[in-house]
Amino acid sequence: MRSRTPDRLCAEAVELARQAAVEAVGAEAVGTPLAARAEGERVVTHTFECRDPAYRGWHWAVTVARAPRAKVVTLDEVVLLPGPDAVLAPQWVPWSERLLPGDLGPGDLLPTDAHDVRLEPGWTGDDEPAPNAAVFDGEEDLELSDPHVQPAPARAQIGAVAEELGMSRARVLSRLGLHLAADRWEKAHGPQTPMAQSAPASCTTCGFLVPIGGSLGQAFGVCGNEFGPADGQVVSLGYGCGGHSEAAVLPAPPVPAELILDETVVEPLHLHPDRTGGSVEPDAPAEELGHS
């Protein structure tokens, strides 16, 4: 156990400890003595100020000791230790926990854990069915005792369906992986975002929404509006923006009528008399003009 009172001879060996620090790092990096604490029976650590500007708040720790009934103090070690105000590097975190979305660049490889909870085994077709299983090889002739019983689909047909559904991969998203993806997409482009709250309508009625397959297609799609804020990204059906296809349809500009100019026909203009003795028709009778 550590002694409360430092050994007297070891505590008095300040100059020995300082000289050891100077020989290790140079006189310009060793400052004034700070303290002396007991590390055990006849073991004392002397601390000195570190004057290196790159290690502000650190100190040199020089440990000395002596054997039982010995009068000579010997040197144990010289180390640089951080103090209460020292600038320290952040705690080391594994790369798998430091990785953030968007960190993966061209040529980078992102390995996944063999037991990643976001994934589950897919259908590979490697397991051979039992001889009496409903799914058989399809290459052997099977004698059916009941003529009304139809043979089960061949494995090749099942494999084609699995390939079309994307189930032939070694691993697919598990239920947890689907929920985690949905939570991320909802947070980025969901109905609670400020853009969706101020949108005139949701993506459900937008013509730019590209549907996706699978169970996630019931709640998400891909935006296909090049002028929208989420172009090419997965959006919630409850999301929306000002680029909605039916929010503000521009009316078609009116087309002016074609100008018609007819110069081939002359239309006669008939003039009628007015009360002030104006013009009359040229073919009026002479009696009406006041002549005998």
Side-chain angles (χ1 to χ4, degrees), residues 193-232:
T193 57
M195 179 65 72
Q197 293 293 322
S198 59
S202 64
C203 294
T204 308
T205 57
C206 183
F208 294 111
L209 181 71
V210 180
I212 60 176
S215 59
L216 290 177
Q218 302 176 9
F220 298 94
V222 178
C223 178
N225 187 353
E226 61 177 324
F227 301 108
D231 178 39

Tab-separated table of all heavy atoms in Angstrom, residues 193-232:
chain	number	residue	atom	x	y	z
A	193	THR	N	-40.573	17.104	-41.038
A	193	THR	CA	-39.516	18.053	-41.396
A	193	THR	C	-40.123	19.415	-41.724
A	193	THR	O	-41.291	19.504	-42.130
A	193	THR	CB	-38.731	17.534	-42.601
A	193	THR	OG1	-39.639	17.315	-43.700
A	193	THR	CG2	-38.037	16.210	-42.266
A	194	PRO	N	-39.361	20.503	-41.561
A	194	PRO	CA	-39.893	21.831	-41.882
A	194	PRO	C	-40.352	21.958	-43.326
A	194	PRO	O	-41.342	22.647	-43.609
A	194	PRO	CB	-38.711	22.765	-41.574
A	194	PRO	CG	-37.875	22.022	-40.588
A	194	PRO	CD	-38.015	20.579	-40.947
A	195	MET	N	-39.668	21.296	-44.256
A	195	MET	CA	-40.070	21.381	-45.655
A	195	MET	C	-41.447	20.764	-45.865
A	195	MET	O	-42.296	21.317	-46.575
A	195	MET	CB	-39.037	20.688	-46.528
A	195	MET	CG	-39.358	20.686	-48.019
A	195	MET	SD	-39.364	22.329	-48.767
A	195	MET	CE	-37.595	22.670	-48.745
A	196	ALA	N	-41.678	19.609	-45.229
A	196	ALA	CA	-42.968	18.946	-45.390
A	196	ALA	C	-44.084	19.719	-44.704
A	196	ALA	O	-45.223	19.732	-45.184
A	196	ALA	CB	-42.890	17.519	-44.849
A	197	GLN	N	-43.773	20.362	-43.581
A	197	GLN	CA	-44.801	21.113	-42.859
A	197	GLN	C	-45.295	22.312	-43.651
A	197	GLN	O	-46.441	22.739	-43.487
A	197	GLN	CB	-44.248	21.562	-41.499
A	197	GLN	CG	-43.974	20.435	-40.531
A	197	GLN	CD	-45.244	19.749	-40.075
A	197	GLN	OE1	-46.262	20.393	-39.852
A	197	GLN	NE2	-45.190	18.430	-39.932
A	198	SER	N	-44.452	22.865	-44.501
A	198	SER	CA	-44.849	24.039	-45.286
A	198	SER	C	-45.207	23.693	-46.727
A	198	SER	O	-45.431	24.591	-47.536
A	198	SER	CB	-43.710	25.068	-45.288
A	198	SER	OG	-42.520	24.515	-45.835
A	199	ALA	N	-45.247	22.400	-47.068
A	199	ALA	CA	-45.540	21.992	-48.442
A	199	ALA	C	-47.033	22.086	-48.728
A	199	ALA	O	-47.857	21.890	-47.825
A	199	ALA	CB	-45.053	20.570	-48.682
A	200	PRO	N	-47.423	22.367	-49.944
A	200	PRO	CA	-48.856	22.457	-50.285
A	200	PRO	C	-49.542	21.098	-50.325
A	200	PRO	O	-50.755	21.028	-50.179
A	200	PRO	CB	-48.846	23.116	-51.669
A	200	PRO	CG	-47.517	22.759	-52.244
A	200	PRO	CD	-46.563	22.722	-51.086
A	201	ALA	N	-48.802	20.023	-50.538
A	201	ALA	CA	-49.374	18.676	-50.589
A	201	ALA	C	-48.266	17.673	-50.322
A	201	ALA	O	-47.077	18.015	-50.316
A	201	ALA	CB	-50.046	18.408	-51.940
A	202	SER	N	-48.647	16.413	-50.091
A	202	SER	CA	-47.671	15.374	-49.778
A	202	SER	C	-47.244	14.652	-51.044
A	202	SER	O	-47.833	14.799	-52.112
A	202	SER	CB	-48.274	14.376	-48.782
A	202	SER	OG	-49.371	13.708	-49.370
A	203	CYS	N	-46.204	13.826	-50.883
A	203	CYS	CA	-45.663	13.094	-52.023
A	203	CYS	C	-46.606	12.005	-52.524
A	203	CYS	O	-46.410	11.479	-53.623
A	203	CYS	CB	-44.319	12.464	-51.649
A	203	CYS	SG	-43.012	13.664	-51.303
A	204	THR	N	-47.605	11.659	-51.742
A	204	THR	CA	-48.525	10.609	-52.172
A	204	THR	C	-49.222	10.971	-53.471
A	204	THR	O	-49.472	10.110	-54.323
A	204	THR	CB	-49.567	10.356	-51.069
A	204	THR	OG1	-48.894	10.135	-49.829
A	204	THR	CG2	-50.425	9.157	-51.389
A	205	THR	N	-49.529	12.254	-53.650
A	205	THR	CA	-50.252	12.696	-54.845
A	205	THR	C	-49.348	13.376	-55.859
A	205	THR	O	-49.842	13.980	-56.807
A	205	THR	CB	-51.366	13.670	-54.434
A	205	THR	OG1	-50.786	14.776	-53.705
A	205	THR	CG2	-52.384	12.979	-53.539
A	206	CYS	N	-48.036	13.278	-55.672
A	206	CYS	CA	-47.100	13.958	-56.570
A	206	CYS	C	-46.745	13.045	-57.739
A	206	CYS	O	-46.437	11.863	-57.560
A	206	CYS	CB	-45.838	14.369	-55.818
A	206	CYS	SG	-44.650	15.290	-56.833
A	207	GLY	N	-46.756	13.595	-58.931
A	207	GLY	CA	-46.414	12.821	-60.108
A	207	GLY	C	-44.945	12.521	-60.243
A	207	GLY	O	-44.558	11.668	-61.048
A	208	PHE	N	-44.104	13.209	-59.489
A	208	PHE	CA	-42.668	12.969	-59.561
A	208	PHE	C	-42.223	11.826	-58.656
A	208	PHE	O	-41.047	11.488	-58.633
A	208	PHE	CB	-41.889	14.231	-59.173
A	208	PHE	CG	-42.071	15.365	-60.145
A	208	PHE	CD1	-42.773	16.493	-59.778
A	208	PHE	CD2	-41.539	15.304	-61.425
A	208	PHE	CE1	-42.940	17.544	-60.669
A	208	PHE	CE2	-41.705	16.336	-62.314
A	208	PHE	CZ	-42.409	17.465	-61.938
A	209	LEU	N	-43.116	11.241	-57.869
A	209	LEU	CA	-42.755	10.159	-56.958
A	209	LEU	C	-42.570	8.865	-57.744
A	209	LEU	O	-43.452	8.450	-58.493
A	209	LEU	CB	-43.830	9.978	-55.893
A	209	LEU	CG	-43.550	8.893	-54.853
A	209	LEU	CD1	-42.432	9.335	-53.924
A	209	LEU	CD2	-44.801	8.556	-54.064
A	210	VAL	N	-41.418	8.231	-57.557
A	210	VAL	CA	-41.118	6.950	-58.200
A	210	VAL	C	-41.341	5.853	-57.167
A	210	VAL	O	-40.651	5.825	-56.140
A	210	VAL	CB	-39.667	6.912	-58.726
A	210	VAL	CG1	-39.380	5.581	-59.392
A	210	VAL	CG2	-39.426	8.068	-59.687
A	211	PRO	N	-42.276	4.939	-57.369
A	211	PRO	CA	-42.539	3.897	-56.371
A	211	PRO	C	-41.353	2.935	-56.258
A	211	PRO	O	-40.585	2.743	-57.191
A	211	PRO	CB	-43.787	3.192	-56.915
A	211	PRO	CG	-44.374	4.131	-57.923
A	211	PRO	CD	-43.216	4.887	-58.496
A	212	ILE	N	-41.232	2.329	-55.083
A	212	ILE	CA	-40.233	1.298	-54.847
A	212	ILE	C	-40.947	0.031	-54.427
A	212	ILE	O	-42.086	0.070	-53.953
A	212	ILE	CB	-39.204	1.717	-53.779
A	212	ILE	CG1	-39.885	1.992	-52.435
A	212	ILE	CG2	-38.439	2.942	-54.230
A	212	ILE	CD1	-38.916	2.323	-51.315
A	213	GLY	N	-40.280	-1.110	-54.602
A	213	GLY	CA	-40.880	-2.378	-54.251
A	213	GLY	C	-40.603	-2.769	-52.817
A	213	GLY	O	-39.963	-2.041	-52.051
A	214	GLY	N	-41.081	-3.935	-52.444
A	214	GLY	CA	-40.855	-4.435	-51.094
A	214	GLY	C	-41.785	-3.817	-50.077
A	214	GLY	O	-42.645	-2.986	-50.390
A	215	SER	N	-41.584	-4.215	-48.819
A	215	SER	CA	-42.438	-3.704	-47.747
A	215	SER	C	-42.247	-2.213	-47.512
A	215	SER	O	-43.179	-1.525	-47.105
A	215	SER	CB	-42.156	-4.472	-46.458
A	215	SER	OG	-40.787	-4.355	-46.083
A	216	LEU	N	-41.043	-1.695	-47.784
A	216	LEU	CA	-40.807	-0.270	-47.586
A	216	LEU	C	-41.544	0.573	-48.622
A	216	LEU	O	-41.712	1.779	-48.417
A	216	LEU	CB	-39.310	0.033	-47.648
A	216	LEU	CG	-38.478	-0.482	-46.480
A	216	LEU	CD1	-37.004	-0.184	-46.710
A	216	LEU	CD2	-38.931	0.142	-45.170
A	217	GLY	N	-41.960	-0.043	-49.722
A	217	GLY	CA	-42.699	0.705	-50.725
A	217	GLY	C	-44.058	1.176	-50.246
A	217	GLY	O	-44.676	2.034	-50.886
A	218	GLN	N	-44.545	0.641	-49.141
A	218	GLN	CA	-45.821	1.082	-48.595
A	218	GLN	C	-45.716	2.423	-47.890
A	218	GLN	O	-46.738	3.054	-47.606
A	218	GLN	CB	-46.360	0.034	-47.618
A	218	GLN	CG	-46.539	-1.339	-48.232
A	218	GLN	CD	-46.981	-2.365	-47.208
A	218	GLN	OE1	-47.310	-2.024	-46.074
A	218	GLN	NE2	-46.997	-3.627	-47.602
A	219	ALA	N	-44.501	2.852	-47.594
A	219	ALA	CA	-44.339	4.111	-46.868
A	219	ALA	C	-43.331	5.047	-47.506
A	219	ALA	O	-43.246	6.205	-47.100
A	219	ALA	CB	-43.913	3.834	-45.416
A	220	PHE	N	-42.574	4.570	-48.528
A	220	PHE	CA	-41.521	5.391	-49.101
A	220	PHE	C	-41.522	5.279	-50.615
A	220	PHE	O	-42.094	4.351	-51.191
A	220	PHE	CB	-40.145	4.984	-48.552
A	220	PHE	CG	-39.985	5.163	-47.081
A	220	PHE	CD1	-40.222	4.105	-46.211
A	220	PHE	CD2	-39.609	6.386	-46.545
A	220	PHE	CE1	-40.086	4.268	-44.848
A	220	PHE	CE2	-39.470	6.554	-45.187
A	220	PHE	CZ	-39.711	5.494	-44.334
A	221	GLY	N	-40.873	6.241	-51.239
A	221	GLY	CA	-40.646	6.249	-52.674
A	221	GLY	C	-39.401	7.066	-52.955
A	221	GLY	O	-38.715	7.537	-52.038
A	222	VAL	N	-39.097	7.248	-54.223
A	222	VAL	CA	-37.923	8.020	-54.635
A	222	VAL	C	-38.403	9.272	-55.369
A	222	VAL	O	-39.266	9.189	-56.245
A	222	VAL	CB	-37.000	7.191	-55.544
A	222	VAL	CG1	-35.810	8.025	-56.010
A	222	VAL	CG2	-36.505	5.956	-54.801
A	223	CYS	N	-37.840	10.423	-54.999
A	223	CYS	CA	-38.210	11.679	-55.640
A	223	CYS	C	-37.525	11.764	-56.998
A	223	CYS	O	-36.324	11.531	-57.121
A	223	CYS	CB	-37.816	12.870	-54.768
A	223	CYS	SG	-38.178	14.483	-55.515
A	224	GLY	N	-38.291	12.110	-58.028
A	224	GLY	CA	-37.757	12.238	-59.370
A	224	GLY	C	-37.847	13.645	-59.921
A	224	GLY	O	-37.765	13.829	-61.139
A	225	ASN	N	-37.991	14.632	-59.035
A	225	ASN	CA	-38.063	16.027	-59.470
A	225	ASN	C	-36.675	16.637	-59.391
A	225	ASN	O	-36.130	16.808	-58.294
A	225	ASN	CB	-39.043	16.810	-58.596
A	225	ASN	CG	-39.287	18.218	-59.115
A	225	ASN	OD1	-38.638	18.677	-60.055
A	225	ASN	ND2	-40.225	18.913	-58.490
A	226	GLU	N	-36.085	16.951	-60.543
A	226	GLU	CA	-34.715	17.467	-60.542
A	226	GLU	C	-34.593	18.814	-59.844
A	226	GLU	O	-33.508	19.210	-59.418
A	226	GLU	CB	-34.212	17.597	-61.979
A	226	GLU	CG	-35.023	18.554	-62.845
A	226	GLU	CD	-34.434	18.688	-64.239
A	226	GLU	OE1	-33.205	18.669	-64.348
A	226	GLU	OE2	-35.221	18.805	-65.197
A	227	PHE	N	-35.694	19.556	-59.720
A	227	PHE	CA	-35.642	20.852	-59.049
A	227	PHE	C	-36.070	20.758	-57.586
A	227	PHE	O	-36.080	21.769	-56.884
A	227	PHE	CB	-36.545	21.854	-59.778
A	227	PHE	CG	-36.158	22.065	-61.219
A	227	PHE	CD1	-36.934	21.553	-62.238
A	227	PHE	CD2	-34.998	22.748	-61.532
A	227	PHE	CE1	-36.575	21.740	-63.569
A	227	PHE	CE2	-34.629	22.941	-62.855
A	227	PHE	CZ	-35.411	22.433	-63.878
A	228	GLY	N	-36.433	19.578	-57.126
A	228	GLY	CA	-36.836	19.415	-55.740
A	228	GLY	C	-35.651	19.257	-54.814
A	228	GLY	O	-34.550	18.899	-55.236
A	229	PRO	N	-35.840	19.484	-53.512
A	229	PRO	CA	-34.729	19.364	-52.561
A	229	PRO	C	-34.315	17.930	-52.280
A	229	PRO	O	-33.268	17.711	-51.685
A	229	PRO	CB	-35.294	20.023	-51.294
A	229	PRO	CG	-36.766	19.837	-51.408
A	229	PRO	CD	-37.095	19.915	-52.868
A	230	ALA	N	-35.117	16.932	-52.688
A	230	ALA	CA	-34.810	15.528	-52.401
A	230	ALA	C	-34.711	14.718	-53.683
A	230	ALA	O	-35.016	13.527	-53.677
A	230	ALA	CB	-35.871	14.943	-51.483
A	231	ASP	N	-34.259	15.321	-54.760
A	231	ASP	CA	-34.167	14.607	-56.041
A	231	ASP	C	-33.237	13.405	-55.912
A	231	ASP	O	-32.107	13.514	-55.439
A	231	ASP	CB	-33.653	15.558	-57.120
A	231	ASP	CG	-33.491	14.864	-58.465
A	231	ASP	OD1	-34.356	14.036	-58.793
A	231	ASP	OD2	-32.507	15.144	-59.170
A	232	GLY	N	-33.730	12.238	-56.334
A	232	GLY	CA	-32.935	11.014	-56.288
A	232	GLY	C	-32.805	10.400	-54.911
A	232	GLY	O	-32.047	9.450	-54.745
